[in-house]
Amino acid sequence: MPKAPDVGGLRAGIWEEMPLLHQLSGGEAIDMEYTISSGIHTLSFGRALTGKAYHEILRTALIAGMPVEAQNDYFSDSSTHTLLGLQKRGIVIYLSRPKRTVYMLKLRIEPERLLGSTDAQALWQCEKGEWKRLVKIIDVLLQPLYIPSLADMKLSIMELTVNLSFSEQRYVDEYLGILKNGCVNAHYRRLYFDKCSGKAKNAAEANRHSYKVTCKQKSLFVYDKTAQLLMTERIAKVLDHRTLRIEVSLRREAIKKEFGKGCTVKEYLEKGSKNAQKIVREFLKRLLLSEGQYYPYDEAIELVQQFKTEKTRQRAALLIQLCSRKKSLNQAIRAMRTEHGVKRSPVERVIRKMEKIGLSPLTIPIRRHAQPLPSLLSLLE
């Protein structure tokens, strides 16, 4: 797959441009152009510090006039200091004291930004020589603060990311809406931006343009990247393309489980950036349960009439109705059991049968699309 030049904000990671041509059940084809890139958005590294080293870093930052945000827990000895002086270069430094005698350092870095990319949507590929280059640049920037070398820290979080860029905003909105209506496993919880947290200038707008679920070791964050860049003023005007960004964040144990134990940091980064698109697709498959296309409600109901048995036709139509009414595949599956006595296993069989005829139980508003939308999973193949 070719590497793209930096054109219109679409350089980054593994990149390709393709017209998407799907043959529908009625014989009509959808021709939708999109670009896709994948790689690593951010990385986090951490290590323990001595109390002396912790206070020396903090004191040096304050003397240098670096912006520092402090959070202290009145009821305990825990505290966190966020050093923002290198944020525009792609590094945020966190100094935390979770207990009275425990001192921790964490770095959150954006590799592409650190390496000088001016493309706000760029994703990093850890190719030959890139890791060594990254360590050298970071060490030079952090040495005045007496922060240990990046090579002496442990990789704690890796954000594997896919950018899907479309020529029209409606595709970003529809695919984001579909993901919000997906099926979330019970051990995941939904997260929202809070207006009091300060993480978003406009929490309501940020929640409208994003979706995040998380568990102990993994999280999924999907958002309108173009809207985010406008809200954070990293771009001054709307770009020619609109980007849907999909991030799967793996913590240390999840990284080991995905790529194996005993790898070096460089090997983890090489494997992560190379397989980012595959891992994102696997996560979305568990969320959406089906690779079927998304039809307007009436067309979806009409399509399920082709099933041979009355029971399958009824259950498929009922599932579509519940997905539309409940606005969630999760809620629809639960309602099939609690309101109609159909257990999860038979529902999953119906979903697989629908998938075979190219149909997802999730529908799209007819007012926006005269044609069905291709499966989001098909874009990531």
Side-chain angles (χ1 to χ4, degrees):
M1 222 174 288
K3 266 292 198 78
D6 191 353
V7 178
L10 291 178
R11 187 196 74 78
I14 297 177
W15 180 98
E16 61 182 324
E17 182 174 4
M18 59 192 75
L20 178 64
L21 193 64
H22 279 274
Q23 197 70 28
L24 305 178
S25 58
E28 192 174 11
I30 294 177
D31 188 4
M32 183 177 74
E33 290 187 356
Y34 67 98
T35 57
I36 181 169
S37 60
S38 63
I40 292 173
H41 175 214
T42 66
L43 298 165
S44 292
F45 292 82
R47 61 163 292 164
L49 294 172
T50 63
K52 181 180 178 181
Y54 175 95
H55 291 294
E56 185 175 31
I57 293 169
L58 181 57
R59 183 171 60 252
T60 304
L62 292 170
I63 291 171
M66 183 175 288
V68 177
E69 291 182 354
Q71 289 183 320
N72 297 295
D73 190 334
Y74 180 82
F75 298 100
S76 73
D77 294 321
S78 65
S79 64
T80 301
H81 291 86
T82 306
L83 283 56
L84 301 171
L86 296 171
Q87 186 174 27
K88 291 186 177 179
R89 291 294 304 271
I91 308 177
V92 178
I93 304 163
Y94 301 91
L95 294 170
S96 62
R97 193 177 64 178
K99 296 180 181 178
R100 190 178 187 86
T101 58
V102 177
Y103 301 91
M104 300 298 297
L105 167 70
K106 176 185 169 184
L107 303 180
R108 186 175 185 272
I109 66 175
E110 293 181 56
E112 279 290 323
R113 205 170 182 181
L114 263 166
L115 295 171
S117 174
T118 56
D119 178 3
Q121 300 186 65
L123 300 173
W124 185 57
Q125 284 289 317
C126 185
E127 297 176 334
K128 186 176 181 180
E130 288 290 288
W131 168 239
K132 188 179 290 186
R133 183 179 166 217
L134 189 69
V135 171
K136 184 177 180 180
I137 291 172
I138 292 173
D139 285 354
V140 168
L141 288 171
L142 298 183
Q143 191 275 331
L145 294 172
Y146 303 105
I147 290 177
S149 171
L150 186 68
D152 297 328
M153 301 185 197
K154 290 184 178 180
L155 175 65
S156 57
I157 300 175
M158 180 163 48
E159 286 186 355
L160 306 180
T161 306
V162 167
N163 286 338
L164 280 168
S165 296
F166 305 94
S167 58
E168 299 180 47
Q169 180 66 36
R170 64 185 177 123
Y171 294 123
V172 173
D173 294 339
E174 286 299 343
Y175 283 124
L176 181 57
I178 286 163
L179 288 169
K180 286 182 176 182
N181 292 340
C183 184
V184 183
N185 289 339
H187 60 287
Y188 281 85
R189 59 191 175 92
R190 177 83 184 271
L191 295 182
Y192 296 89
F193 287 98
D194 183 348
K195 64 181 181 181
C196 299
S197 68
K199 291 185 177 181
K201 289 185 177 181
N202 186 326
E205 277 296 291
N207 286 322
R208 188 168 71 86
H209 289 287
S210 67
Y211 172 71
K212 185 170 186 176
V213 291
T214 186
C215 68
K216 188 176 181 180
Q217 286 295 323
K218 288 185 180 181
S219 66
L220 172 73
F221 187 28
V222 186
Y223 58 102
D224 183 336
K225 182 63 178 177
T226 309
Q228 186 242 14
L229 291 174
L230 287 168
M231 279 190 279
T232 56
E233 300 178 349
R234 287 193 68 185
I235 57 173
K237 61 179 181 178
V238 176
L239 304 171
D240 293 335
H241 59 274
R242 309 291 190 273
T243 299
L244 179 69
R245 172 164 284 189
I246 309 169
E247 296 176 354
V248 172
S249 179
L250 304 179
R251 292 186 176 274
R252 186 165 181 79
E253 291 306 314
I255 293 171
K256 291 179 181 178
K257 185 176 180 180
E258 186 68 46
F259 303 116
K261 297 179 179 180
C263 294
T264 63
V265 172
K266 178 186 172 185
E267 289 170 338
Y268 280 134
L269 298 180
E270 288 174 344
K271 291 179 180 181
S273 59
K274 183 179 179 181
N275 293 285
Q277 185 170 321
K278 172 178 171 286
I279 291 168
V280 168
R281 190 183 190 280
E282 289 172 352
F283 199 111
L284 295 187
K285 174 66 175 177
R286 294 192 292 272
L287 183 72
L288 297 171
L289 300 182
S290 169
E291 298 191 34
Q293 297 179 106
Y294 315 110
Y295 284 78
Y297 177 84
D298 290 342
E299 289 184 46
I301 294 295
E302 185 178 338
L303 281 170
V304 301
Q305 303 310 312
Q306 64 186 276
F307 289 127
K308 292 182 180 179
T309 67
E310 179 66 21
K311 180 187 285 187
T312 303
R313 290 195 294 269
Q314 288 179 349
R315 286 181 173 178
L318 179 59
L319 181 60
I320 292 169
Q321 291 168 13
L322 289 171
C323 283
S324 179
R325 195 168 78 234
K326 302 287 186 179
K327 304 297 182 185
S328 163
L329 189 52
N330 252 1
Q331 296 293 332
I333 292 173
R334 187 177 295 114
M336 289 285 283
R337 176 177 55 83
T338 59
E339 298 175 18
H340 302 278
V342 184
K343 294 182 179 179
R344 186 176 180 109
S345 293
V347 173
E348 290 178 346
R349 286 197 294 271
V350 168
I351 291 173
R352 288 195 293 271
K353 288 179 181 179
M354 294 171 69
E355 185 178 36
K356 287 180 180 179
I357 64 171
L359 175 63
S360 168
L362 298 171
T363 57
I364 54 175
I366 194 169
R367 66 181 182 277
R368 296 186 187 176
H369 296 280
Q371 295 176 323
L373 270 180
S375 164
L376 184 57
L377 296 170
S378 70
L379 308 188
L380 301 177
E381 286 180 336

